[in-house]
């Protein structure tokens, strides 16, 4: 399959989103309005997508656009940044901090703000998370109120990022960062001193 340009992928995604919402494809006029282009330009987009094998067309139908299996596979995927570092409890998305991208399933990770981190160390091996794995993280903006007891979190303690399972002792005003490794000890932190960067919502491993 010939690679898509960014604009062509955007057109495909508009078609895909329209079909998901309405149950049928857009007409040429509807698609041209969605893309804010004239009908001739819209026809040009569709012709190039058809020539590349990403759409088919039904002759004589007003709603003639058909997405191919190859197009649907591409549209189900999205790229999220792999961060090399996190500053002051906040994910940093500047070029110097992004070490690459991870391709994930858009249907499983529909939000736009996920990021990934490469795991270093063995503190979570009993939870099935090993050094070299990539964890997919959903940022948390409201601290411990944005997570629940037992979540695996990316936390900031004394300026250092750590990956642990979180337990909250609200009556004592403390949080326990529990390693899933019997050879390591819990980290006990006062709630006000703990920054929750995000919670782990997925994992990818490459062999």
């Amino acid at each position: 399959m010939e690679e898509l340009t960014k604009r062509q992928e955007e057109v495909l995604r508009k078609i895909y989103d329209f079909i998901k919402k309405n149950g049928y494809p857009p007409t040429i006029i509807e698609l041209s309005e969605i893309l804010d282009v004239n009908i001739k330009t819209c026809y040009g987009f569709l012709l190039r997508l058809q020539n590349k094998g990403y759409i088919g067309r039904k002759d004589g139908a007003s709603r003639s656009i058909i997405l191919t299996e190859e197009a649907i596979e591409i549209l189900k995927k999205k790229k999220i940044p792999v961060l090399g570092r996190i500053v002051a409890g906040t994910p940093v998305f500047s070029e110097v901090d992004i070490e690459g991208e991870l391709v994930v399933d858009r249907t499983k990770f529909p939000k736009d703000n996920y990021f990934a981190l490469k795991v270093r160390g063995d503190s979570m091996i009993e939870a099935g998370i090993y050094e070299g794995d990539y964890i997919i993280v959903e940022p948390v903006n409201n601290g411990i109120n944005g997570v629940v007891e037992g979540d695996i979190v990316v936390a900031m303690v004394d300026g250092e990022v750590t990956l642990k399972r979180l337990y909250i002792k609200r009556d004592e005003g403390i949080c326990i960062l529990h390693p899933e490794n019997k050879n390591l000890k819990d980290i006990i932190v006062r709630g006000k001193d703990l920054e929750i960067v995000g919670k782990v919502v997925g994992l990818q491993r490459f062999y």
Side-chain angles (χ1 to χ4, degrees):
M1 296 288 290
E2 191 176 343
E3 190 173 348
L4 291 167
T5 66
K6 287 185 178 180
R7 181 57 165 160
Q8 288 167 354
E9 186 172 342
E10 179 189 352
V11 174
L12 267 186
R13 190 160 301 286
K14 295 293 186 183
I15 297 169
Y16 179 73
D17 291 343
F18 187 98
I19 293 172
K20 280 184 66 178
K21 180 179 178 181
N22 298 285
Y24 50 80
T27 64
I28 301 297
I29 293 174
E30 288 169 339
L31 184 59
S32 65
E33 291 174 350
I34 291 168
L35 298 172
D36 195 23
V37 298
N38 60 44
I39 292 176
K40 183 179 179 180
T41 300
C42 190
Y43 267 117
F45 286 144
L46 294 178
L47 180 60
R48 286 187 285 275
L49 288 171
Q50 188 171 3
N51 289 339
K52 288 185 174 184
Y54 291 100
I55 67 168
R57 304 286 297 279
K58 285 183 182 178
D59 292 336
S62 62
R63 300 187 182 276
S64 62
I65 304 168
I66 303 170
L67 295 177
T68 64
E69 290 183 8
E70 291 81 2
I72 293 171
E73 279 303 307
I74 287 174
L75 292 167
K76 283 182 178 179
K77 296 175 182 178
K78 66 187 289 187
K79 294 178 180 179
I80 60 174
V82 178
L83 297 189
R85 67 189 181 102
I86 298 173
V87 177
T90 303
V92 175
F93 291 92
S94 67
E95 287 186 10
V96 297
D97 299 297
I98 296 177
E99 293 188 342
E101 293 178 318
L102 203 63
V103 177
V104 299
D105 187 333
R106 183 180 295 273
T107 60
K108 293 180 179 178
F109 305 102
K111 298 180 182 179
D112 294 327
N113 59 346
Y114 301 107
F115 65 95
L117 292 171
K118 190 172 184 178
V119 176
R120 296 176 174 85
D122 60 0
S123 67
M124 297 299 290
I125 57 174
E126 289 163 17
I129 301 175
Y130 298 93
E131 182 160 12
D133 288 348
Y134 289 87
I135 53 169
I136 300 164
V137 183
E138 181 181 339
V140 172
N141 296 320
N142 51 347
I144 61 174
N145 294 318
V147 294
V148 298
E149 186 90 1
D151 275 348
I152 296 176
V153 300
V154 175
M156 186 83 69
V157 180
D158 295 330
E160 295 292 327
V161 175
T162 186
L163 176 67
K164 299 289 185 292
R165 194 178 296 279
L166 177 69
Y167 295 100
I168 304 167
K169 303 290 184 181
R170 296 185 186 276
D171 56 336
E172 300 176 35
I174 62 171
C175 293
I176 298 172
L177 296 172
H178 176 67
E180 296 286 349
N181 183 333
K182 62 184 179 183
N183 297 316
L184 301 176
K185 295 181 179 180
D186 290 343
I187 300 173
I188 299 175
V189 188
R190 290 184 300 174
K192 63 179 183 179
D193 296 331
L194 179 65
E195 291 185 74
I196 304 295
V197 178
K199 60 183 177 181
V200 176
V201 293
L203 179 144
Q204 281 199 17
R205 177 174 300 146
F206 299 95
Y207 295 97

